[in-house]
Amino acid sequence: MATIHVDGKSYEVNGSENLLQACLSLGIDIPYFCWHPSLGSIGSCRQCAVTQYANPEDTRGRLVMSCMTPASDNTYISIEDKEAVDFRASIVELLMTNHPHDCPVCEEGGHCHLQDMTVMTQHDRRRYRFTKRTHHNQELGSFISHEMNRCIACYRCVRYYTDYAGGTDFGVYANASRVYFGRPESGTLESEFSGNLTEVCPTGVFTDKTHSARYNRKWDMQYAPSVCQGCSSGCNISPGERYGELRRVENRFNGEVNQYFLCDKGRFGTGYVNREDRPRQPQFRSGVNVAKVSVDQALDSVIEKLQGQKVLGIGSPRASLESNFVLRELVGAEHFSTGMSQKEQQLVELAASIMQSDKIYNPGMREIESYDAVLILGEDLTQTAPRMALSVRQAAKNKAKEMAAERRTQDWLAEPLKRIAQDAKSPIYILAATQTRLADVATGEVVASPNDIARLGFAVAAAVNGESITGLADDAKAFAEQIAATLKAAKKPLIISGTSLQDPAIMEAAAQVAQNLGGNAGLSLTVPEVNSMGMALFGGLSLEQAFALDYDAIVVVENDLYRRLPGKQVDQAFAKANDVIVLDHSQTATVERASIVLSAASFAEGDGTVVSQEGRAQRYYQVYDANYYNPEYAIKESWRWLHAIETGVKGKAISWTVLDDVIESVVRSVPVLEAIQDVAPDAGYRVHGLKIAREPRRYSGRTAIRAPLSIHEPKQPVDKDSALTFSMEGYVGPQDAASLVPFAWAPGWNSPQSWNKFQDQVGGHLKGGDAGVRLFDRLPKRAARSYVAPAVVVVNPDSFRLVPMHHIFASGEFTAKTPAMESRIPEPVFAVGAQDAERLNLTDGQQLTVQAGESSISLPVQVIEYLPTGYIGYPVGQAPTVSLAEPVSIAVGA
């Protein structure tokens, strides 16, 4: 700690910070542009100038940049000194000389850090009367718009894109005074994290193109605290709605999870919520004939069909815990399925079991950044858990921080840190089935078959224990010993694995390495979907087990079974049932096979609890009430539909009317999920007697939103499920519980930088703690067990095995249904190694037919030099579902 003196007042601060960060953490405003909590200081904009004095008697002082000055003990500064005030005003005026006067038409208006800082410095006159410098803009793809004339040359964009996110196709180019930030030529930004430019940029140079199609001001959107549904990472988001449409997704700060950044899948992949073809009313279906019916008609029909029948309930790892629980209450535990295939369920249950084992520590996403040696077994993280990949990229910089500390250089000094480190990085080893996007920070990367990855992982575990390694070639043995020596020498080693290659031995190898390392070692396991870990803890039958039961009807909740099992297997299961009732918010192949469809709420239209891969239970909240904009819509959370059905079938009274009722029942019935009651405050929570406002103070046009329906403004929807209100008439500010903060805004701070006002210290954690409860920290530990290395899989030259190949945009269920993603989804292909291609006389683009069980799939070939012999890369999510367990036969097209 250190004591600093600011304009005659003394404050205790963290002495390792710079003055700008220390003052902002104290709630003292200093304008800035180039500095960012995650990017460090470079002192390029000069906007954060303050006057520093040598001692209390010094009256002259000198100007210093607060972002470049340590908050050391007994530092005396003045923010209000006239020289500092005038200097900051001159800097803003200089920056604004070439900035266009286009705030009324700029998409960043009302969301703009430049506007905030200009007001803060009281700059309100333009004296420059000459021609402004102009630039040509670039086409940067379907996600980002480019308006280079607004640039103030703060360098944030290039520092984020290249230094933080590891992008290679973006840079800064200069000719005299004409500095240009963009690509070498127009083209789609290749980084999977490019969307963060819209929040990193303090002006309107980079804006959200998906929002441009249906644009409105930030203050005219309604928000809710939410959790990204794109993968199992559990990133926090603020979805914004206007006129019953999701218009934009912004990052919602969580100091233990995603912090300031999202991946592009999470930011731009929610367009499926707005699709016209999704069920918004109950439907009676018979083949291609679809009839929309009322809620009462649908419920009466479902209750009649299920009365006295044997009902099979199929849950889902993309549905909330509450919806899965109510389905289980309807059908009974013995007839409830998790909605996962047997293979998938075994994998996620193994991951959950490992996380509950003694001597296993599971770090959060932010903590991953603190590890100084990383081994990744079997995961292409950028494709399967992209935000975690960004954290691993930061872990590679810990060597630089260590070298800087030895030279007494603070790690927030970005440029000195880079110069000290040069190319030095913390060791990261990657064993994967394909080359990964983290190869540029990897000390070593090996592409191998899933079986070889598992065996090499167990060899590392043996070497950590000093045991002899058998069954490997000399070069593989030496590599395993090198990895083991590196992990043992590290202060904090981390092992990352997961389910993506569908081989349990890989996760077991990762667990064995972590156990053998002991001490400060961490283990992180990724799972497929937003609530996969929750369903592993909740329990239930696999789909194969469920379909083997005797049943008369099937109720499917938010699950497309054709993505889980081969089509013929699902068809046979449906053929056994007299009725198939499906609750979903999207048009799927399963919906098309239903006799009755109940229009379920998406994450934007309902509340629920999900559990991330680290075991963090979090709650998402309803963003808007679709019925308010169109009274014909009958969109309800799945648990509401199911409880109404249960009461009708069993002849009992409605007992659950609000979400809190369901949560209380879950807590009583499923002890392992007891902690979910602490995830967020109940519906009775208030701040100064007020519910939390979903809308900013300046929300406008409410009386016109329903004008096509009625000129009279109706009462706003009433939210009985949460402490949030569908209105601007409520509390807005940093005193919210972290789980209930719908958007970031504070007086004088309209841009994403307003998260500073919600944090205990800038860049730290939210006041009162970050959202979510880590379940594995509260569950009793199981005895650690030893794992056995798998036998060698002998490659047969006459048969092949399929190996899953994931793509961040193509593999997800809903990204393909999002218009902005269409140009980013590659053509589905079978990947074949160079040796196999030569042996089979295959060339790029040639058609290849794979026969897997009863499924036959034909796709073009892409020859990849490094793919292991005897394996064919299978595009997950872009081809019909097949079993990957058994060898397959192939036929080469002409």
Side-chain angles (χ1 to χ4, degrees):
M1 298 297 290
T3 300
I4 64 171
H5 309 272
V6 183
D7 289 311
K9 295 181 180 180
S10 299
Y11 302 92
E12 291 289 324
V13 299
N14 184 344
S16 64
E17 297 174 348
N18 58 56
L19 284 173
L20 174 60
Q21 187 169 3
C23 288
L24 291 173
S25 297
L26 292 169
I28 301 171
D29 291 344
I30 301 177
Y32 64 91
F33 289 117
C34 65
W35 180 81
H36 187 281
S38 294
L39 304 180
S41 305
I42 58 170
S44 73
C45 73
R46 324 305 289 173
Q47 186 61 66
C48 65
V50 297
T51 301
Q52 182 178 14
Y53 302 98
N55 51 55
E57 289 73 37
D58 183 6
T59 58
R60 186 172 182 180
R62 63 190 181 101
L63 285 177
V64 298
M65 302 306 119
S66 58
C67 75
M68 299 294 289
T69 307
S72 52
D73 199 29
N74 283 324
T75 297
Y76 292 83
I77 63 170
S78 173
I79 300 170
E80 300 173 358
D81 177 67
K82 187 178 186 306
E83 185 180 13
V85 170
D86 291 345
F87 181 85
R88 294 195 298 267
S90 68
I91 292 297
V92 163
E93 185 173 27
L94 177 64
L95 293 175
M96 297 298 288
T97 54
N98 287 299
H99 192 82
H101 300 189
D102 65 347
C103 290
V105 298
C106 175
E107 292 190 17
E108 197 74 358
H111 195 211
C112 178
H113 185 62
L114 177 60
Q115 284 181 335
D116 291 347
M117 298 301 98
T118 303
V119 172
M120 189 179 294
T121 53
Q122 301 179 23
H123 173 70
D124 60 0
R125 295 291 184 273
R126 300 293 184 92
R127 294 187 293 170
Y128 183 75
R129 293 291 180 265
F130 306 99
T131 303
K132 290 180 179 285
R133 178 195 60 218
T134 58
H135 298 277
H136 289 290
N137 301 320
Q138 292 183 324
E139 171 59 43
L140 298 179
S142 60
F143 295 160
I144 304 292
S145 294
H146 189 223
E147 178 50 78
M148 187 57 206
N149 292 329
R150 298 173 183 150
C151 182
I152 59 171
C154 71
Y155 287 83
R156 266 200 200 178
C157 59
V158 70
R159 291 172 59 219
Y160 160 75
Y161 195 94
T162 61
D163 297 345
Y164 192 93
T168 58
D169 62 320
F170 183 94
V172 54
Y173 309 95
N175 176 10
S177 62
R178 296 175 64 86
V179 181
Y180 193 91
F181 296 85
R183 301 183 81 251
E185 58 186 7
S186 290
T188 299
L189 289 168
E190 297 172 2
S191 172
E192 294 83 358
F193 308 97
S194 64
N196 293 309
L197 289 172
T198 63
E199 294 187 19
V200 167
C201 176
T203 74
V205 177
F206 302 99
T207 53
D208 186 337
K209 186 178 285 189
T210 65
H211 185 203
S212 301
R214 299 279 288 166
Y215 180 75
N216 57 272
R217 292 300 193 193
K218 173 184 178 177
W219 62 75
D220 282 336
M221 281 191 284
Q222 183 167 247
Y223 298 88
S226 194
V227 179
C228 178
Q229 309 287 300
C231 73
S232 65
S233 295
C235 296
N236 288 197
I237 58 173
S238 288
E241 169 269 342
R242 181 75 168 174
Y243 288 103
E245 298 175 332
L246 275 192
R247 296 286 180 88
R248 179 172 181 165
V249 170
E250 298 175 32
N251 182 75
R252 188 164 70 96
F253 186 88
N254 186 314
E256 293 184 356
V257 188
N258 48 295
Q259 300 174 78
Y260 291 97
F261 305 120
L262 297 172
C263 75
D264 288 353
K265 181 179 183 179
R267 186 179 293 275
F268 302 114
T270 59
Y272 65 90
V273 174
N274 299 332
R275 288 183 67 97
E276 291 294 328
D277 62 354
R278 55 168 293 201
R280 287 187 170 89
Q281 296 168 257
Q283 301 172 354
F284 289 167
R285 302 180 69 103
S286 178
V288 297
N289 298 318
V290 179
K292 297 177 182 177
V293 297
S294 70
V295 170
D296 289 340
Q297 284 178 294
L299 287 175
D300 289 346
S301 180
V302 171
I303 291 168
E304 179 184 356
K305 291 178 181 297
L306 299 187
Q307 200 88 44
Q309 301 294 303
K310 297 175 183 175
V311 184
L312 178 62
I314 307 294
S316 172
R318 66 169 166 88
S320 69
L321 289 173
E322 292 83 358
S323 292
N324 280 289
F325 173 76
V326 180
L327 175 63
R328 195 179 75 172
E329 292 294 291
L330 169 65
V331 302
E334 67 279 5
H335 292 100
F336 172 78
S337 169
T338 61
M340 295 183 279
S341 69
Q342 188 166 338
K343 183 72 172 179
E344 182 181 351
Q345 183 161 331
Q346 288 174 345
L347 289 165
V348 295
E349 286 180 346
L350 173 62
S353 175
I354 290 172
M355 288 297 102
Q356 296 174 71
S357 299
D358 194 22
K359 298 183 180 179
I360 293 294
Y361 175 69
N362 178 27
M365 197 118 63
R366 181 174 189 159
E367 191 177 354
I368 286 174
E369 299 180 6
S370 68
Y371 285 82
D372 58 349
V374 182
L375 169 61
I376 302 174
L377 282 175
E379 289 294 310
D380 183 356
L381 287 179
T382 308
Q383 315 305 330
T384 60
R387 185 58 187 80
M388 187 185 293
L390 199 58
S391 292
V392 170
R393 190 171 288 279
Q394 309 321 307
K397 300 173 183 175
N398 286 323
K399 180 64 175 178
K401 295 178 181 178
E402 180 184 333
M403 296 170 67
E406 292 172 355
R407 292 160 177 79
R408 299 181 182 276
T409 301
Q410 294 92 341
D411 59 15
W412 43 263
L413 289 167
E415 288 304 310
L417 198 70
K418 288 173 62 177
R419 292 194 179 95
I420 289 170
Q422 296 296 317
D423 295 325
K425 295 181 178 66
S426 295
I428 295 176
Y429 292 95
I430 303 173
L431 313 180
T434 182
Q435 285 186 345
T436 72
R437 295 293 288 255
L438 290 173
D440 60 309
V441 295
T443 306
E445 183 179 54
V446 169
V447 175
S449 69
N451 178 254
D452 287 339
I453 291 170
R455 291 172 57 241
L456 194 52
F458 275 104
V460 172
V464 167
N465 269 1
E467 302 168 6
S468 60
I469 299 174
T470 59
L472 292 182
D474 289 344
D475 56 346
K477 178 180 176 181
F479 188 55
E481 290 173 341
Q482 177 187 339
I483 295 173
T486 302
L487 295 175
K488 288 176 68 176
K491 297 175 183 176
K492 285 185 68 175
L494 173 67
I495 318 300
I496 298 176
S497 188
T499 64
S500 69
L501 292 184
Q502 301 186 21
D503 189 337
I506 296 176
M507 287 194 292
E508 291 176 345
Q512 194 67 64
V513 174
Q515 283 182 187
N516 291 358
L517 286 167
N520 293 323
L523 174 66
S524 186
L525 300 176
T526 69
V527 292
E529 296 185 68
V530 62
N531 202 23
S532 292
M533 193 61 83
M535 292 308 294
L537 295 171
F538 187 75
L541 303 173
S542 68
L543 285 174
E544 290 91 335
Q545 290 171 323
F547 289 154
L549 298 176
D550 184 24
Y551 53 85
D552 302 313
I554 300 177
V555 178
V556 183
V557 174
E558 300 178 43
N559 201 338
D560 185 3
L561 304 187
Y562 288 92
R563 292 181 61 88
R564 310 282 179 184
L565 294 175
K568 289 187 178 180
Q569 196 170 345
V570 180
D571 289 341
Q572 292 169 1
F574 284 165
K576 286 175 58 179
N578 298 323
D579 291 287
V580 177
I581 297 154
V582 177
L583 294 80
D584 213 334
H585 51 71
S586 293
Q587 186 73 14
T588 68
T590 299
V591 165
E592 292 173 359
R593 291 297 310 273
S595 53
I596 300 178
V597 176
L598 302 180
S599 42
S602 69
F603 77 95
E605 298 142 339
D607 310 321
T609 308
V610 291
V611 182
S612 71
Q613 55 84 23
E614 68 163 301
R616 181 180 294 273
Q618 300 184 101
R619 196 154 297 143
Y620 60 85
Y621 289 96
Q622 184 178 7
V623 183
Y624 62 99
D625 183 351
N627 181 259
Y628 178 76
Y629 299 98
N630 190 331
E632 294 182 358
Y633 290 168
I635 296 174
K636 303 178 186 298
E637 292 104 324
S638 292
W639 71 261
R640 291 190 190 278
W641 284 115
L642 293 166
H643 185 55
I645 293 168
E646 183 197 5
T647 57
V649 170
K650 298 181 180 178
K652 63 180 189 179
I654 293 283
S655 57
W656 297 329
T657 57
V658 295
L659 184 69
D660 289 339
D661 295 337
V662 188
I663 293 171
E664 289 176 8
S665 297
V666 173
V667 168
R668 286 196 305 268
S669 304
V670 191
V672 73
L673 297 175
E674 181 181 0
I676 71 168
Q677 63 188 328
D678 300 327
V679 166
D682 62 24
Y685 176 84
R686 299 290 185 273
V687 178
H688 304 308
L690 301 173
K691 296 188 82 172
I692 311 304
R694 282 181 169 90
E695 300 168 358
R697 292 281 190 237
R698 290 188 290 168
Y699 191 89
S700 64
R702 197 165 72 187
T703 56
I705 283 177
R706 280 173 46 100
L709 302 177
S710 171
I711 60 172
H712 304 288
E713 181 190 0
K715 181 181 178 181
Q716 288 293 105
V718 177
D719 186 358
K720 297 181 179 179
D721 287 318
S722 76
L724 298 158
T725 176
F726 293 103
S727 173
M728 73 180 85
E729 290 86 17
Y731 178 78
V732 176
Q735 292 185 37
D736 293 359
S739 56
L740 291 176
V741 179
F743 57 88
W745 176 88
W749 296 79
N750 298 282
S751 78
Q753 302 306 304
S754 52
W755 282 113
N756 296 346
K757 298 297 184 180
F758 291 77
Q759 296 163 348
D760 54 7
Q761 62 180 34
V762 174
H765 300 271
L766 293 178
K767 295 176 180 177
D770 296 303
V773 172
R774 282 169 52 94
L775 300 183
F776 294 133
D777 292 348
R778 300 196 180 190
L779 296 176
K781 288 291 186 181
R782 302 173 180 176
R785 66 184 182 92
S786 296
Y787 303 93
V788 179
V792 179
V793 173
V794 179
V795 177
N796 185 340
D798 297 323
S799 66
F800 290 82
R801 289 181 179 271
L802 297 179
V803 59
M805 300 191 78
H806 298 261
H807 189 278
I808 181 175
F809 303 130
S811 298
E813 181 174 357
F814 296 116
T815 46
K817 297 180 179 181
T818 297
M821 293 287 178
E822 292 176 358
S823 64
R824 301 299 301 272
I825 297 177
E827 178 188 10
V829 296
F830 283 129
V832 177
Q835 291 182 338
D836 285 331
E838 183 178 357
R839 178 166 61 89
L840 298 171
N841 198 26
L842 278 170
T843 57
D844 279 336
Q846 195 168 353
Q847 202 75 4
L848 183 69
T849 301
V850 170
Q851 186 71 36
E854 296 181 340
S855 300
S856 180
I857 308 167
S858 295
L859 292 174
V861 164
Q862 180 182 6
V863 179
I864 299 179
E865 182 180 353
Y866 54 78
L867 203 67
T869 304
Y871 286 84
I872 295 175
Y874 170 82
V876 174
Q878 292 186 281
T881 304
V882 296
S883 172
L884 305 183
E886 301 299 327
V888 299
S889 59
I890 65 171
V892 181

